[in-house]
Amino acid sequence: MIGRAKRNALFLGQVLALAGWAVFGSGSGANARAPAADAYQLTVGDVVSFDFLDDTLPSEQLTVSSDGQVNLPLIGGFKVEGLTVSEALGAIRRAFVERRFFIDPQISFAIVNFRPIYVLGDVRSPGSYPFQPTMNVEQAVALAGGQSTGTGTNEDRIVMQTRLRGDIDESSVEIARAAIAAARVRAQLDGRLEIAADDIPEKARPIVTDALRATLIPTEQKILEVEARGYKTRFGQLTAAVTEVNGALENLAQLVENKKVAIASAREDLERSRALYKRGIKTITELSGIERETTAQESQLLEIYNQMSSTRRELGDLQRDLSDTTDTRTKTALSELQGHYADIERLLALRDATEKQIVLLSSLSAEEASQDSTIVFSYRVRSKVDGRTVTHDVDIFDDIAPGDTVLVSIDPASRARGATLASAAVGRLP
């Protein structure tokens, strides 16, 4: 019986393996877990590892589900909520022995990840963060990026000012690009092949420096020339096609006149032949041949008329294409010009707003340098105790537990001073 149980243990250990650390279980009840973690009671959301130590297979991680259980190999659902790691290990070992899966199971059972903590309120990056043993309020706030006053520290403002100045430089390039493109379209609409300084929109001229102009105009100049060549080629092709079709119509008209003369002559010949036939001079065969020739001439005239109709339709299509080519080019250019003007207005508005932000940040920094801007923070921790939510004030060095929510807030008097500084700075904006 013992041999069969041992063989089963070895076999199951090869196919069911789970990762673990800190706590190991055997018949002697050995425990190498740190004392600080020994008092912690497992709860929903904790991730634990489970491993048979006498096999070579990797361990496996299990999450404590909403019903407080972990899904153990062979056993299935096993409740561990409310137990310490040592208590859970002992209960699991007893379950394996009582169900006769093992005689002396060698097991590792440990916590891999605790429930996350939550840091909310006046911090830079509120949200959830992984819990670490012996974590205190100060460390939790540090994970959230530290306290936030809403207006930021002087160092933060310097960084933001630098970024905003970079945004202004970037907007200058974008405004210049839109302005030079608009100048190119204006030259195109005027039928010119060279961009002039006066083509640049007046609002953007102070921003379009000589350096930007020298950088951007050559490309737009090439675009202008390529577009003009393409339009000239297309217009020339359509004009040549219209001329050719008009010539074809003139030829067909001349052919109609010639055919009418031929038909008139054939009809006269037919009348003479009919008279000669009545007199017995022409045979019926000769008369029939002349009638067929006259009919063929009339049919050919109808074919020429049909060809003239098709050619006129072709001419109409070409003339319409020629007109559309010019109209479409103009409409496209006007639409593009309108888009560039709109981009310039939008970018100028953003640039103005950015400049005001820089002035505001500079004013706040100067104000804080001359006034007492000390900010006082308070801290509270919200925890689950016996199924109830409890909130209590804490010191920044107090410990927290997995699943706790740390609430950071600014003292009302400090917040009022900060709001006064911001209002005063906004009031001085141009």
Side-chain angles (χ1 to χ4, degrees):
M1 183 67 179
I2 294 175
R4 185 185 303 115
K6 184 62 176 177
R7 286 194 299 273
N8 289 340
L10 292 174
F11 174 75
L12 292 170
Q14 292 174 347
V15 296
L16 298 168
L18 300 155
W21 53 270
V23 180
F24 305 92
S26 66
S28 60
N31 185 353
R33 192 171 57 84
D38 190 53
Y40 176 74
Q41 294 180 338
L42 294 166
T43 189
V44 176
D46 289 334
V47 179
V48 298
S49 64
F50 181 91
D51 188 21
F52 292 110
L53 298 178
D54 56 357
D55 62 27
T56 59
L57 296 178
S59 59
E60 191 171 320
Q61 294 185 359
L62 309 172
T63 300
V64 181
S65 61
S66 58
D67 58 2
Q69 296 187 354
V70 292
N71 190 24
L72 295 174
L74 302 179
I75 294 177
F78 191 86
K79 189 172 182 65
V80 295
E81 184 181 16
L83 301 178
T84 66
V85 175
S86 296
E87 291 170 345
L89 175 63
I92 293 170
R93 289 192 66 257
R94 287 193 297 272
F96 276 117
V97 173
E98 289 171 358
R99 300 188 188 189
R100 298 185 179 183
F101 290 121
F102 300 97
I103 295 175
D104 183 15
Q106 303 294 314
I107 298 171
S108 168
F109 185 82
I111 297 176
V112 176
N113 290 316
F114 296 91
R115 285 177 299 157
I117 59 166
Y118 301 86
V119 186
L120 306 176
D122 293 309
V123 291
R124 297 179 188 275
S125 302
S128 63
Y129 295 92
F131 175 82
Q132 298 295 332
T134 70
M135 179 179 285
N136 60 24
V137 174
E138 181 182 43
Q139 293 165 337
V141 172
L143 288 176
Q147 300 94 332
S148 172
T149 63
T151 58
T153 64
N154 192 49
E155 291 79 7
D156 292 335
R157 295 191 192 104
I158 292 174
V159 173
M160 183 173 290
Q161 284 177 314
T162 303
R163 181 181 62 78
L164 291 174
R165 289 192 182 96
D167 291 343
I168 287 180
D169 292 339
E170 183 178 351
S171 70
S172 297
V173 175
E174 294 299 323
I175 292 170
R177 182 180 288 113
I180 299 300
R184 182 254 304 164
V185 177
R186 290 181 62 176
Q188 174 187 319
L189 289 170
D190 291 344
R192 290 182 281 109
L193 292 178
E194 187 172 350
I195 300 172
D198 291 342
D199 292 328
I200 299 174
E202 186 174 355
K203 281 188 174 182
R205 289 175 191 173
I207 298 173
V208 184
T209 63
D210 291 340
L212 288 173
R213 189 180 292 111
T215 301
L216 298 173
I217 282 184
T219 300
E220 293 295 334
Q221 184 67 47
K222 289 180 180 178
I223 294 174
L224 177 63
E225 294 169 359
V226 169
E227 192 280 334
R229 283 200 300 271
Y231 170 73
K232 183 178 180 181
T233 300
R234 178 61 176 163
F235 189 85
Q237 290 172 339
L238 290 172
T239 301
V242 168
T243 301
E244 183 179 353
V245 173
N246 273 323
L249 280 174
E250 292 176 0
N251 293 335
L252 289 172
Q254 184 62 49
L255 188 59
V256 165
E257 295 302 321
N258 294 341
K259 188 59 66 176
K260 285 180 179 179
V261 171
I263 290 173
S265 176
R267 287 175 177 172
E268 291 176 359
D269 189 30
L270 178 61
E271 291 300 322
R272 285 194 299 271
S273 297
R274 285 174 178 170
L276 293 173
Y277 171 72
K278 290 179 180 180
R279 294 166 56 187
I281 298 175
K282 290 280 189 181
T283 64
I284 188 64
T285 301
E286 293 172 326
L287 180 62
S288 297
I290 295 172
E291 288 177 342
R292 284 195 300 273
E293 179 64 24
T294 303
T295 302
Q297 294 281 358
E298 293 173 343
S299 298
Q300 291 173 4
L301 179 61
L302 290 176
E303 290 177 0
I304 295 172
Y305 280 139
N306 288 334
Q307 189 174 355
M308 288 183 70
S309 178
S310 298
T311 305
R312 287 193 185 97
R313 285 196 298 271
E314 183 181 356
L315 178 62
D317 291 340
L318 288 171
Q319 290 173 333
R320 187 163 47 254
D321 288 344
L322 185 61
S323 176
D324 288 347
T325 297
T326 302
D327 292 344
T328 301
R329 180 183 187 237
T330 302
K331 290 177 183 177
T332 301
L334 289 173
S335 177
E336 184 181 355
L337 184 61
Q338 185 179 31
H340 291 317
Y341 281 148
D343 287 340
I344 291 171
E345 293 291 341
R346 175 180 58 82
L347 291 167
L348 286 173
L350 289 175
R351 180 188 177 89
D352 182 62
T354 304
E355 289 175 342
K356 288 182 178 180
Q357 289 183 59
I358 292 176
V359 173
L360 174 60
L361 290 171
S362 299
S363 299
L364 287 173
S365 298
E367 195 74 28
E368 285 189 352
S370 61
Q371 297 186 21
D372 179 16
S373 58
T374 302
I375 302 296
V376 178
F377 290 90
S378 61
Y379 308 93
R380 291 178 297 162
V381 171
R382 184 179 297 153
S383 308
K384 282 281 189 181
V385 178
D386 298 329
R388 296 181 300 107
T389 300
V390 178
T391 303
H392 55 281
D393 294 330
V394 295
D395 184 77
I396 194 168
F397 299 112
D398 287 347
D399 291 336
I400 58 176
D404 282 353
T405 298
V406 179
L407 305 171
V408 182
S409 59
I410 299 176
D411 177 75
S414 299
R415 191 182 297 275
R417 285 198 300 273
T420 301
L421 292 177
S423 298
V426 171
R428 291 192 299 273
L429 287 178

